[in-house]
Protein backbone atom coordinates (compact mmCIF):
# COMPACT_ATOMS: atom_id res chain seq x y z
CA UNK A 1 0.00 0.00 0.00
CA UNK A 2 3.03 2.29 0.24
CA UNK A 3 2.77 2.71 -3.54
CA UNK A 4 -0.33 4.86 -2.99
CA UNK A 5 1.31 7.21 -0.50
CA UNK A 6 2.37 10.73 -1.43
CA UNK A 7 4.74 11.39 1.47
CA UNK A 8 7.59 13.72 0.53
CA UNK A 9 5.86 14.91 -2.63
CA UNK A 10 4.64 18.37 -3.59
CA UNK A 11 1.34 18.85 -5.41
CA UNK A 12 -0.51 21.69 -7.09
CA UNK A 13 -4.29 21.63 -7.54
CA UNK A 14 -6.05 24.35 -9.53
CA UNK A 15 -9.75 25.02 -9.16
CA UNK A 16 -9.25 24.00 -5.52
CA UNK A 17 -11.69 26.40 -3.89
CA UNK A 18 -14.63 23.99 -4.26
CA UNK A 19 -15.92 20.76 -5.76
CA UNK A 20 -13.55 18.16 -7.15
CA UNK A 21 -10.43 20.27 -6.69
CA UNK A 22 -11.14 20.86 -3.01
CA UNK A 23 -11.67 17.15 -2.31
CA UNK A 24 -8.54 16.18 -4.27
CA UNK A 25 -6.43 18.69 -2.34
CA UNK A 26 -7.71 17.31 0.96
CA UNK A 27 -7.01 13.74 -0.15
CA UNK A 28 -3.46 14.59 -1.26
CA UNK A 29 -2.75 16.20 2.09
CA UNK A 30 -4.12 13.13 3.88
CA UNK A 31 -1.88 10.95 1.69
CA UNK A 32 1.14 12.96 2.85
CA UNK A 33 1.77 15.54 0.14
CA UNK A 34 2.42 19.22 0.67
CA UNK A 35 -0.26 20.93 -1.42
CA UNK A 36 -0.44 24.25 -3.24
CA UNK A 37 -4.10 25.12 -3.74
CA UNK A 38 -5.03 27.64 -6.41
CA UNK A 39 -8.16 29.41 -7.61
CA UNK A 40 -9.37 32.88 -8.54
CA UNK A 41 -10.92 33.61 -5.14
CA UNK A 42 -8.64 33.71 -2.12
CA UNK A 43 -11.03 33.44 0.82
CA UNK A 44 -12.18 29.84 0.22
CA UNK A 45 -8.55 28.85 -0.35
CA UNK A 46 -7.62 30.23 3.05
CA UNK A 47 -10.41 28.21 4.63
CA UNK A 48 -9.25 25.05 2.87
CA UNK A 49 -5.63 25.68 3.87
CA UNK A 50 -6.76 26.02 7.49
CA UNK A 51 -8.68 22.71 7.26
CA UNK A 52 -5.60 20.97 5.86
CA UNK A 53 -3.40 22.48 8.57
CA UNK A 54 -5.86 21.34 11.25
CA UNK A 55 -5.42 17.83 9.91
CA UNK A 56 -1.65 18.08 10.22
CA UNK A 57 -0.98 18.82 6.55
CA UNK A 58 0.75 21.61 4.65
CA UNK A 59 -1.14 23.83 2.22
CA UNK A 60 -0.23 27.05 0.42
CA UNK A 61 -3.16 29.10 -0.94
CA UNK A 62 -2.37 30.87 -4.22
CA UNK A 63 -4.70 33.24 -6.06
CA UNK A 64 -4.34 32.56 -9.78
CA UNK A 65 -6.16 33.16 -13.06
CA UNK A 66 -5.16 30.15 -15.17
CA UNK A 67 -6.06 31.98 -18.40
CA UNK A 68 -3.21 34.46 -17.84
CA UNK A 69 0.35 33.22 -18.51
CA UNK A 70 1.87 35.71 -16.08
CA UNK A 71 -0.45 34.55 -13.30
CA UNK A 72 0.35 30.89 -13.98
CA UNK A 73 4.10 31.57 -14.02
CA UNK A 74 3.82 33.43 -10.72
CA UNK A 75 1.91 30.47 -9.27
CA UNK A 76 4.61 27.98 -10.25
CA UNK A 77 7.34 30.29 -8.98
CA UNK A 78 5.67 30.25 -5.57
CA UNK A 79 5.33 26.47 -5.66
CA UNK A 80 9.01 26.11 -6.55
CA UNK A 81 10.12 28.60 -3.90
CA UNK A 82 7.89 27.46 -1.03
CA UNK A 83 7.66 23.72 -1.72
CA UNK A 84 11.03 23.19 -3.37
CA UNK A 85 9.59 22.12 -6.71
CA UNK A 86 6.61 20.14 -7.92
CA UNK A 87 5.90 16.43 -8.35
CA UNK A 88 2.14 16.45 -9.07
CA UNK A 89 -0.01 18.97 -10.94
CA UNK A 90 -3.78 18.69 -11.18
CA UNK A 91 -5.14 20.97 -13.91
CA UNK A 92 -8.71 21.10 -12.68
CA UNK A 93 -10.00 24.68 -13.13
CA UNK A 94 -13.05 24.82 -15.39
CA UNK A 95 -16.28 26.69 -16.13
CA UNK A 96 -19.58 26.00 -17.90
CA UNK A 97 -22.85 27.59 -18.92
CA UNK A 98 -25.92 26.28 -20.72
CA UNK A 99 -25.98 28.69 -23.66
CA UNK A 100 -26.78 27.08 -27.00
CA UNK A 101 -24.38 27.35 -29.93
CA UNK A 102 -26.94 28.84 -32.29
CA UNK A 103 -27.10 32.15 -30.44
CA UNK A 104 -23.78 32.08 -28.58
CA UNK A 105 -21.58 35.14 -28.88
CA UNK A 106 -18.03 34.36 -30.07
CA UNK A 107 -16.54 35.94 -26.97
CA UNK A 108 -18.58 33.60 -24.75
CA UNK A 109 -17.35 30.56 -26.68
CA UNK A 110 -13.79 31.84 -26.34
CA UNK A 111 -14.21 32.39 -22.59
CA UNK A 112 -14.98 28.70 -22.10
CA UNK A 113 -11.99 27.63 -24.18
CA UNK A 114 -9.68 30.07 -22.40
CA UNK A 115 -10.35 28.52 -19.00
CA UNK A 116 -11.01 24.89 -19.88
CA UNK A 117 -8.33 24.40 -22.56
CA UNK A 118 -5.81 27.23 -22.41
CA UNK A 119 -5.79 27.09 -18.62
CA UNK A 120 -4.97 23.39 -18.71
CA UNK A 121 -2.21 23.93 -21.26
CA UNK A 122 -0.63 26.84 -19.40
CA UNK A 123 -0.71 25.08 -16.03
CA UNK A 124 0.58 21.76 -17.39
CA UNK A 125 3.31 23.45 -19.41
CA UNK A 126 4.54 25.50 -16.45
CA UNK A 127 4.49 22.45 -14.17
CA UNK A 128 6.35 20.33 -16.73
CA UNK A 129 8.99 23.04 -17.18
CA UNK A 130 9.58 23.06 -13.43
CA UNK A 131 9.87 19.27 -13.35
CA UNK A 132 12.31 19.22 -16.28
CA UNK A 133 14.45 22.00 -14.80
CA UNK A 134 14.86 20.00 -11.59
CA UNK A 135 15.09 16.63 -13.38
CA UNK A 136 12.18 15.35 -11.33
CA UNK A 137 9.79 12.69 -12.51
CA UNK A 138 6.22 13.87 -12.19
CA UNK A 139 2.54 13.28 -12.77
CA UNK A 140 0.20 15.76 -14.44
CA UNK A 141 -3.52 15.07 -14.20
CA UNK A 142 -6.16 16.98 -16.14
CA UNK A 143 -9.86 17.11 -15.38
CA UNK A 144 -11.73 16.43 -18.61
CA UNK A 145 -15.35 15.22 -18.72
CA UNK A 146 -17.63 12.59 -20.16
CA UNK A 147 -18.72 15.58 -22.28
CA UNK A 148 -15.48 15.10 -24.20
CA UNK A 149 -16.87 11.73 -25.34
CA UNK A 150 -20.60 12.41 -25.78
CA UNK A 151 -22.92 15.37 -26.40
CA UNK A 152 -25.02 16.08 -23.32
CA UNK A 153 -28.76 16.53 -23.59
CA UNK A 154 -31.20 18.14 -23.02
CA UNK A 155 -28.99 21.07 -21.97
CA UNK A 156 -26.97 22.74 -24.72
CA UNK A 157 -23.29 22.71 -23.83
CA UNK A 158 -21.54 22.30 -27.18
CA UNK A 159 -18.85 24.80 -26.20
CA UNK A 160 -18.10 22.74 -23.06
CA UNK A 161 -18.08 19.46 -25.00
CA UNK A 162 -15.58 20.93 -27.46
CA UNK A 163 -13.34 22.16 -24.65
CA UNK A 164 -13.28 18.83 -22.83
CA UNK A 165 -12.65 16.83 -26.01
CA UNK A 166 -9.68 19.13 -26.55
CA UNK A 167 -8.45 18.46 -23.01
CA UNK A 168 -8.55 14.69 -23.56
CA UNK A 169 -6.51 14.84 -26.75
CA UNK A 170 -4.17 17.53 -25.41
CA UNK A 171 -3.50 15.21 -22.48
CA UNK A 172 -2.52 12.41 -24.86
CA UNK A 173 -0.24 14.73 -26.83
CA UNK A 174 1.46 15.96 -23.67
CA UNK A 175 1.86 12.36 -22.49
CA UNK A 176 3.84 11.54 -25.64
CA UNK A 177 5.94 14.72 -25.59
CA UNK A 178 6.71 14.67 -21.86
CA UNK A 179 7.44 10.93 -21.59
CA UNK A 180 11.20 11.29 -22.33
CA UNK A 181 11.38 13.45 -19.18
CA UNK A 182 9.61 10.75 -17.11
CA UNK A 183 6.55 12.95 -16.73
CA UNK A 184 3.23 11.11 -16.96
CA UNK A 185 0.04 12.85 -18.12
CA UNK A 186 -3.45 11.39 -17.69
CA UNK A 187 -7.01 12.73 -17.62
CA UNK A 188 -10.10 12.01 -15.55
CA UNK A 189 -13.52 12.37 -17.19
CA UNK A 190 -16.27 12.71 -14.58
CA UNK A 191 -19.94 12.42 -15.37
CA UNK A 192 -22.64 14.32 -13.50
CA UNK A 193 -21.14 15.08 -10.10
CA UNK A 194 -22.83 17.04 -7.30
CA UNK A 195 -20.46 20.00 -7.18
CA UNK A 196 -20.97 23.73 -6.91
CA UNK A 197 -20.57 23.90 -10.70
CA UNK A 198 -23.63 21.68 -11.19
CA UNK A 199 -25.80 22.83 -8.27
CA UNK A 200 -27.46 25.77 -10.13
CA UNK A 201 -28.91 23.30 -12.62
CA UNK A 202 -30.02 20.51 -10.27
CA UNK A 203 -33.63 21.63 -9.78
CA UNK A 204 -34.28 21.76 -13.53
CA UNK A 205 -32.21 18.86 -14.81
CA UNK A 206 -31.61 16.18 -12.16
CA UNK A 207 -34.84 14.31 -12.94
CA UNK A 208 -33.87 14.31 -16.62
CA UNK A 209 -30.28 13.17 -16.08
CA UNK A 210 -30.70 10.34 -13.59
CA UNK A 211 -32.79 7.97 -15.78
CA UNK A 212 -29.90 8.03 -18.29
CA UNK A 213 -27.36 6.93 -15.66
CA UNK A 214 -27.23 3.14 -15.15
CA UNK A 215 -26.40 3.62 -11.45
CA UNK A 216 -29.46 5.84 -11.21
CA UNK A 217 -27.94 8.83 -9.43
CA UNK A 218 -25.42 11.66 -9.65
CA UNK A 219 -21.94 11.08 -8.29
CA UNK A 220 -20.31 12.73 -5.29
CA UNK A 221 -16.94 14.52 -5.47
CA UNK A 222 -15.42 12.18 -2.89
CA UNK A 223 -16.13 9.26 -5.24
CA UNK A 224 -13.51 10.65 -7.63
CA UNK A 225 -10.59 11.26 -5.30
CA UNK A 226 -9.35 7.66 -5.38
CA UNK A 227 -8.42 7.88 -9.05
CA UNK A 228 -6.65 11.22 -8.53
CA UNK A 229 -4.59 9.72 -5.70
CA UNK A 230 -3.81 6.67 -7.83
CA UNK A 231 -2.69 8.77 -10.81
CA UNK A 232 -0.52 10.95 -8.58
CA UNK A 233 1.14 7.99 -6.88
CA UNK A 234 3.80 5.47 -7.83
CA UNK A 235 1.05 2.85 -8.13
CA UNK A 236 0.35 4.24 -11.62
CA UNK A 237 3.99 4.57 -12.70
CA UNK A 238 3.42 2.79 -16.04
CA UNK A 239 0.27 4.71 -16.90
CA UNK A 240 0.31 7.71 -19.21
CA UNK A 241 -1.89 9.10 -21.97
CA UNK A 242 -5.00 7.48 -20.49
CA UNK A 243 -8.44 8.96 -19.90
CA UNK A 244 -10.48 7.49 -17.04
CA UNK A 245 -14.26 7.91 -17.34
CA UNK A 246 -16.16 7.92 -14.02
CA UNK A 247 -19.79 8.55 -14.90
CA UNK A 248 -21.98 5.91 -13.26
CA UNK A 249 -22.15 4.17 -16.62
CA UNK A 250 -23.67 7.11 -18.53
CA UNK A 251 -21.48 6.72 -21.61
CA UNK A 252 -22.07 2.96 -21.84
CA UNK A 253 -25.35 3.34 -23.72
Amino acid sequence: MNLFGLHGKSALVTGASSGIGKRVALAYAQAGAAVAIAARHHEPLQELAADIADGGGTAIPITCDVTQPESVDAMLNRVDHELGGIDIAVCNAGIINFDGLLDMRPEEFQKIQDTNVNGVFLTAQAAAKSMVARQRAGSIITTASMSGHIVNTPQQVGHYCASKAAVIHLTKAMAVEFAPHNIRVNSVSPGYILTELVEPYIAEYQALWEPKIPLGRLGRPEELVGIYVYLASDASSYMTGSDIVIDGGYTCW
Side-chain angles (χ1 to χ4, degrees), residues 57-73:
T58 299
I60 300 171
I62 304 174
T63 304
C64 178
D65 181 348
V66 297
T67 69
Q68 301 301 313
E70 299 83 3
S71 185
V72 173
D73 288 342

Side-chain angles (χ1 to χ4, degrees), residues 6-233:
L6 302 180
H7 295 279
K9 295 189 176 185
S10 301
L12 165 68
V13 182
T14 66
S17 59
S18 63
I20 295 170
K22 179 178 180 179
R23 272 67 170 195
V24 169
L26 286 165
Y28 282 179
Q30 291 167 3
V35 186
I37 48 177
R40 286 191 174 122
H41 304 293
H42 194 65
E43 184 174 342
L45 293 177
Q46 289 180 308
E47 294 173 359
L48 176 57
D51 289 342
I52 290 173
D54 289 343
T58 299
I60 300 171
I62 304 174
T63 304
C64 178
D65 181 348
V66 297
T67 69
Q68 301 301 313
E70 299 83 3
S71 185
V72 173
D73 288 342
M75 173 176 63
L76 263 296
N77 286 337
R78 279 198 62 189
V79 174
D80 287 342
H81 177 70
E82 298 187 37
L83 298 181
I86 185 170
D87 302 293
I88 305 153
V90 179
C91 308
N92 174 72
I95 58 174
I96 192 173
N97 64 42
F98 283 13
D99 296 341
L101 294 174
L102 187 62
D103 300 314
M104 178 172 288
R105 294 174 289 111
E107 55 268 29
E108 187 62 30
F109 184 87
Q110 189 60 53
K111 180 181 178 181
I112 297 289
Q113 312 314 310
D114 283 343
T115 298
N116 294 3
V117 184
N118 295 353
V120 166
F121 163 69
L122 292 171
T123 304
Q125 182 191 52
K129 284 182 176 180
S130 174
M131 294 170 183
V132 170
R134 287 164 177 76
Q135 297 184 330
R136 290 167 72 158
S139 175
I140 297 173
I141 305 160
T142 66
T143 299
S145 172
M146 71 173 184
S147 301
H149 296 270
I150 52 92
V151 177
N152 306 72
T153 58
Q155 70 274 22
Q156 296 178 321
V157 288
H159 51 312
Y160 184 79
C161 294
S163 73
K164 293 303 186 177
V167 168
I168 292 169
H169 214 59
L170 175 62
T171 297
K172 294 179 182 294
M174 291 190 295
V176 172
E177 290 197 24
F178 298 169
H181 302 287
N182 204 16
I183 298 170
R184 300 180 296 107
V185 193
N186 295 284
S187 58
V188 179
S189 286
Y192 292 120
I193 308 295
L194 282 166
T195 66
E196 291 84 345
L197 193 69
V198 172
E199 282 177 356
Y201 309 105
I202 289 296
E204 183 176 357
Y205 289 100
Q206 184 171 4
L208 299 173
W209 292 338
E210 289 186 337
K212 300 180 181 180
I213 303 171
L215 287 184
R217 62 174 177 85
L218 277 64
R220 300 182 301 274
E222 55 269 26
E223 293 181 297
L224 301 178
V225 298
I227 193 64
Y228 282 90
V229 172
Y230 169 69
L231 292 174
S233 74

